Amino acid sequence: MKKHIKGNVHWVGKIDWELRKFHGEELSTHNGSSYNSYLIQEEKTVLIDTVWSPFADEFVKNLESEIDLNAIDYIVINHGENDHSGALQRLMEKIPDTPIYCSKNAIGSLNGQYHQEWNLNVVKTGDTLDIGNGKQLVFVEMRMLHWPDSMATYMTGDNILFSNDAFGQHYASEYLFNDLVDQCDLYTEAMKYYANILNPFSMILKRKLDEIIGMNLAIDIIATSHGIIWRDNPLQIVSKYQDWCEAYQENQITIIYDTMWNGTKRMAEKIAEGIQLEDSEVEVKLYNISKTDDNDLALEVFKSKAIVVGSPTVSNSVLRSLVGFLHYMHELKFKNKKATAFGCFGWSGESPKVLKGMLEDAGFETIGEPLGINWNMTSEQEKEVVTFGQDFVKNLKG
Ligand code: FEO
């Protein structure tokens, strides 16, 4: 069912309430998602993006129930990833000669995935396409946000920025617009999307935001390709992105650990006690990594000014849950975050030092010496671990 956006623009996408994992099994999507496609019906009829391939038949059938597909003059593909181009093949079987407008890099991604002889037309930043009624589409390359082929399309007259993945969220809602949904859910999903998908490209994003702001475009609506469309004060999410791309942090310290017989868990709790004793204002959160979703935890790290990571020593190293997670932290390229490490051990006791090295490899600035405790803590050692937490906070301030 199409939904009205503004003027002669309608949403014709797919809301995917069932989605729980995205990018294969990489990214959790507890609140589902949507693949937003838009139909512009001015003197020219334009389709902006499509949907994920499992929904291709449904998408084309729905579109056919709204318009004669032959009436589509142009297709704009802002980004070649399958969640937006996945219905293109099915659609182009019906209208094979329709021109597709995309970035230069999207030629590679579309040809590489679909191997078709489509009428692909390259556009670059500032290029325009007349759609009649005095309106134009203006293209803005969004290279590396988050693929080399990404771009956005701005529609003059109605002042709609079709931003593709930027400013999106994996958040299914029939309400469609930002002013109609729970703001806490919306911002949690928007921030989780940023932390897990866009953060590695923060420096590029910062320059691109400056460029878009410098273009002085009137923006009434930011029509994303996932989740909610921003129509109430749409620039609020641009402002949030400006904060998030500058090594964002809140007054939060996150303790992340794994444990076998709860020795390292008890250390985590004593470290938390020490942090709280030293600074009652800071928010301390503890997560057993094996009981926590990696992407939710990445969001907590994104919000943190520092993390404390613990593992018992196993076979001269650490539990493998930490290895995978710290590899993910390396991938996400968080900046300006401090860290330390801890863990209990029975025999050789390497885990705190191994963790320290892994944290440094992942881009964290480690502070002080990591702490190991042999076997379970005595009451004296409990005090030592509390002091370790206190000292960590003192050193953060210093
Ligand atoms: Fe939503 Fe990068 O695709």
Side-chain angles (χ1 to χ4, degrees), residues 90 97 101 117 134 136 143 160 169 172 176 184 186 194 197 214 246 251 264-265 271 288 299 306 314 341 383:
R90 188 80 187 87
D97 300 324
Y101 291 82
E117 297 292 326
Q136 287 185 320
R143 195 173 172 157
I160 302 173
Q169 336 84 41
L176 209 60
C184 183
L186 171 59
Y194 186 94
I197 294 179
E246 296 265 23
N251 190 21
T264 299
K265 174 186 171 180
I271 293 168
N288 179 326
L299 171 58
V314 184
K383 288 178 196 156

Side-chain angles (χ1 to χ4, degrees), residues 13-28:
K14 171 67 187 177
I15 299 174
D16 188 353
W17 283 94
E18 282 195 357
L19 189 78
R20 290 296 175 269
K21 288 283 185 177
F22 186 77
H23 281 159
E25 296 295 309
E26 274 295 290
L27 183 68
S28 62

Side-chain angles (χ1 to χ4, degrees), residues 22-23 79 81 83-84 146-147 164-165 170 193 225-226:
F22 186 77
H23 281 159
H79 171 34
E81 196 163 8
D83 51 328
H84 308 299
H146 67 123
W147 270 21
N164 199 261
D165 283 335
H170 287 305
Y193 192 97
S225 62
H226 293 294

Side-chain angles (χ1 to χ4, degrees), residues 31 169-173 181-192 228 230 299:
N31 289 307
Q169 336 84 41
H170 287 305
Y171 183 20
S173 170
V181 299
D182 183 285
Q183 298 301 291
C184 183
D185 287 350
L186 171 59
Y187 267 102
T188 300
E189 290 299 345
M191 192 186 264
K192 179 176 174 181
I228 299 307
W230 303 88
L299 171 58

Side-chain angles (χ1 to χ4, degrees), residues 4 24 29 94 99 158 166 197 224 246 300 311 366-367 376-377:
H4 185 238
T29 52
K94 306 227 171 196
D158 290 308
I197 294 179
T224 61
E246 296 265 23
E300 296 303 329
S311 169
T366 58
I367 295 190
N376 286 332
M377 292 178 287

Side-chain angles (χ1 to χ4, degrees), residues 257-271 286-291 310-314 319 342-345 373-378 382 385:
Y257 63 92
D258 206 344
T259 195
M260 293 171 75
W261 298 106
N262 289 337
T264 299
K265 174 186 171 180
R266 282 191 286 271
M267 285 182 74
E269 290 168 347
K270 287 293 163 191
I271 293 168
L286 286 82
Y287 293 96
N288 179 326
I289 195 166
S290 289
K291 298 177 190 291
S311 169
T313 298
V314 184
L319 287 171
F342 67 98
C344 71
F345 63 97
I373 292 287
N374 196 203
W375 300 109
N376 286 332
M377 292 178 287
T378 62
E382 284 185 355
V385 178

Side-chain angles (χ1 to χ4, degrees), residues 70-107:
N70 290 301
I72 298 175
D73 295 291
Y74 313 124
I75 298 169
V76 173
I77 292 293
N78 278 323
H79 171 34
E81 196 163 8
N82 189 271
D83 51 328
H84 308 299
S85 67
L88 205 46
Q89 202 158 1
R90 188 80 187 87
L91 182 63
M92 297 307 281
E93 285 167 9
K94 306 227 171 196
I95 47 172
D97 300 324
T98 308
I100 298 170
Y101 291 82
C102 62
S103 69
K104 187 176 173 194
N105 281 326
I107 301 282

